[in-house]
Amino acid sequence: MSCQPIDQYATQIPREKRAAVYQGTKATHEKRTKLLFDQFADPNRLRRLAGEIKQHTIENLDTYLPQVEAKLKANGVNVHWAGNAESACKAVLDIMQARGATKIVKAKTMVSEEIELAPFLEKHGMEALETDLGEFIVQIDHDHPSHIVRPIIHKSRAEIARSFEREGLGAYNDDPETITRRARQFLRHKYLSADVGMTGGNFVSAESGRIAVVTNEGNSRFCLAATKCHIAVIGIEKIVPRDRDLAVFLNLLARSATAQELTTYTEFIRGPKSPEQPDGPEEMHVIFVDNGRSEVLASECREILRCIRCGACLNVCPIYRQVSGHAYRSVYPGPVGAVLSPLLMGEKFPQKADLPKASSLCGACNEVCPVNIPIPDLLLRLRNRAKEENVPSVGTPPMGGWSILASQPAAWRAALVGGKIMDFLPLRHIPVPPLSKWEAKRDLPPWRGGQFRKWMKQRQRPGA
């Protein structure tokens, strides 16, 4: 049976990988919920405040972007603007070539993954090394991250140990402490010999030009400690208006991403080192990347630009838990990726138009989002866009009859009563090709239609 690319991947995913993703995401989500509700009387109020701040910011980017540029320049930072992935990569290459640099060490940045910076630099003779442990393992395996915060959630310890053995980082040993120690020993030399250090930026304050960078491994500090040049590659939506707003987002980011009160390292970078400071980069560049964000801002799904890349929506999503990140064919997987990835494709939207359909629309992603993005609503808007643009929906049975039934209350009530007969019908053998093909890949639960209406009527009775 023909089906959407994401459905095809789901049928082939190994059972072990599915179990690893499910357990990892479920545990993090449960810790997050406990932490937030133990420490805040009304965490939803904080989520709404964060969402309002981000929505205000993205709707006033024309004001805040010039403001942050002026502040950064006043702090001694060179500011660059990149309209697309190619120009962003070219800007990094130009900076390195101007300095005669050949080696760059990178802290984890989603936008550099998005623009495929490391392959671009390697193609031009540069050594670009990931220093986040998960990203480093992904790089040596020529793989792709499958989670925004935990890029190797799909890998087992045994797989990582075999990768280290293959790369000459020691004999096979799947002890986590040994793996970490070997990576640290390998990366230490790379930090000291690199010419340029790169980070992203979780937030940039328009008020002061401060860049906030959060990590758990401290690798961003190592990237900057010994190098003479710092390049920060940042999406234009990462601006916040004031320094005081950082308190709101830093409180939510770590709790939502890894169920921590704060990440182990939180850095505030104002500019290159001053003459009084003994260490640090002497030169700093910030490259603000658009790469389709302006089109997203102009669309009816602009709320997705509030995203702070915490991964909470991935951890709670029943679809992501079943298919893992690679099924989304994008650096942004899960519910946020199902919205953002097709939008960033621009005119190539049909290539990712199947992603918004990879959702049960249960609303769990909206409930956990720290910036209150109405992801289910955005998914429906994108499904409607695909319909209006006549994008084929492979493997989906015609829904015209369902639409008529669902919009006629009398017919709907009759169907709920008569639907019980479905429990006794051999659906897979009914000679209606779309129905039998669809049902061949799925198990329908026993029919329970009408129970909710009965419960609601009883609940509405006086004294109930």
Side-chain angles (χ1 to χ4, degrees):
M1 175 184 178
S2 299
C3 54
Q4 303 279 357
I6 192 168
D7 293 326
Q8 291 177 11
Y9 186 91
T11 61
Q12 300 165 2
I13 184 171
R15 182 176 299 177
E16 296 77 15
K17 180 185 288 190
R18 178 174 287 137
V21 172
Y22 180 84
Q23 292 299 333
T25 53
K26 181 172 180 287
T28 305
H29 169 65
E30 291 174 350
K31 287 182 192 173
R32 168 207 167 270
T33 302
K34 185 175 188 310
L35 190 68
L36 272 174
F37 283 87
D38 282 353
Q39 297 184 338
F40 292 99
D42 187 358
N44 288 327
R45 184 179 176 188
L46 191 62
R47 291 173 56 240
R48 288 193 293 272
L49 172 62
E52 289 168 4
I53 294 172
K54 284 292 284 184
Q55 190 66 26
H56 162 80
T57 311
I58 62 175
E59 290 181 357
N60 293 278
L61 274 181
D62 56 339
T63 298
Y64 289 118
L65 287 175
Q67 185 178 337
V68 78
E69 179 182 26
K71 287 294 180 184
L72 285 167
K73 286 182 174 177
N75 296 342
V77 178
N78 300 289
V79 180
H80 310 259
W81 299 96
N84 53 37
E86 183 179 2
S87 59
C89 292
K90 183 70 165 46
V92 176
L93 181 65
D94 289 346
I95 295 168
M96 293 185 68
Q97 290 178 333
R99 294 184 57 86
T102 59
K103 298 178 181 178
I104 184 170
V105 282
K106 289 174 68 262
K108 183 172 181 285
T109 73
M110 293 303 297
V111 71
S112 73
E113 292 284 346
E114 175 189 323
I115 63 177
E116 299 182 345
L117 177 63
F120 176 88
L121 293 177
E122 290 168 359
K123 183 179 174 183
H124 288 81
M126 303 293 176
E127 179 183 304
L129 185 72
E130 302 287 351
T131 61
D132 174 273
L133 180 57
E135 292 285 336
F136 173 67
I137 293 166
V138 165
Q139 185 179 29
I140 63 176
D141 281 351
H142 305 287
D143 195 358
H144 297 285
S146 65
H147 191 284
I148 289 176
V149 177
R150 303 166 67 186
I152 55 170
I153 192 172
H154 60 292
K155 288 184 181 293
S156 67
R157 285 189 295 168
E159 289 179 279
I160 297 167
R162 286 194 290 271
S163 299
F164 272 47
E165 184 180 33
R166 184 195 64 225
E167 296 297 316
L169 298 178
Y172 179 91
N173 189 322
D174 61 8
D175 173 54
E177 289 188 13
T178 302
I179 291 173
T180 305
R181 185 173 63 254
R182 288 174 174 175
R184 188 180 298 140
Q185 289 171 344
F186 176 80
L187 291 172
R188 186 171 295 151
H189 168 71
K190 297 294 183 180
Y191 287 127
L192 294 173
S193 63
D195 305 302
V196 177
M198 172 172 286
T199 69
N202 293 89
F203 307 100
V204 186
S205 167
E207 180 183 40
S208 64
R210 285 191 179 89
I211 299 172
V213 178
V214 300
T215 68
N216 266 327
E217 300 174 17
N219 55 313
S220 65
R221 287 190 176 187
F222 282 118
C223 285
L224 304 184
T227 54
K228 299 299 181 187
C229 178
H230 172 205
I231 302 175
V233 181
I234 303 171
I236 59 173
E237 79 281 14
K238 294 299 184 73
I239 312 295
V240 296
R242 304 160 298 183
D243 284 5
R244 61 185 290 187
D245 298 323
L246 293 172
V248 176
F249 293 105
L250 291 174
N251 266 303
L252 284 169
L253 177 58
R255 288 176 171 85
S256 301
T258 53
Q260 295 170 277
E261 294 183 12
L262 279 176
T263 48
T264 309
Y265 300 90
T266 303
E267 297 173 82
F268 299 95
I269 304 170
R270 187 183 176 93
K273 82 178 188 72
S274 65
E276 295 77 24
Q277 293 174 311
D279 300 306
E282 299 167 349
E283 180 180 324
M284 180 173 172
H285 300 261
V286 171
I287 302 172
F288 284 113
V289 180
D290 186 318
N291 200 33
R293 287 162 174 74
S294 294
E295 286 78 5
V296 178
L297 184 59
S299 75
E300 60 178 358
C301 297
R302 63 180 64 86
E303 294 97 328
I304 199 64
L305 292 178
R306 297 181 199 165
C307 179
I308 59 174
R309 310 289 190 265
C310 69
C313 62
L314 280 64
N315 295 336
V316 76
C317 177
I319 308 302
Y320 176 87
R321 287 177 173 180
Q322 291 298 315
V323 303
S324 83
H326 289 163
Y328 292 82
R329 316 188 307 281
S330 166
V331 68
Y332 302 112
V336 62
V339 177
L340 188 57
S341 301
L343 290 169
L344 291 178
M345 294 294 288
E347 295 180 353
K348 297 179 181 177
F349 168 79
Q351 294 182 14
K352 299 278 176 69
D354 62 304
L355 297 183
K357 297 168 188 170
S359 171
S360 62
L361 299 179
C362 62
C365 49
N366 183 200
E367 291 180 3
V368 301
C369 178
V371 284
N372 200 28
I373 300 174
I375 294 177
D377 292 343
L378 305 186
L379 292 169
L380 287 174
R381 292 173 200 170
L382 289 177
R383 291 184 187 186
N384 187 55
R385 176 180 167 181
K387 172 73 174 176
E388 290 180 344
E389 295 183 10
N390 297 315
V391 179
S393 185
V394 182
T396 303
M399 301 298 285
W402 174 267
S403 175
I404 295 172
L405 179 65
S407 57
Q408 304 294 324
W412 180 256
R413 285 194 294 270
L416 287 179
V417 176
K420 291 182 180 177
I421 196 173
M422 291 181 63
D423 288 345
F424 307 100
L425 292 177
L427 295 179
R428 294 182 183 180
H429 302 295
I430 293 178
V432 179
L435 177 62
S436 56
K437 287 181 179 177
W438 189 89
E439 218 281 332
K441 294 283 185 182
R442 298 164 175 84
D443 294 320
L444 285 175
W447 179 265
R448 298 179 61 190
Q451 297 301 313
F452 176 78
R453 286 170 178 267
K454 187 184 298 181
W455 173 81
M456 181 59 80
K457 284 180 181 177
Q458 292 174 347
R459 180 181 171 82
Q460 290 175 336
R461 287 176 184 166

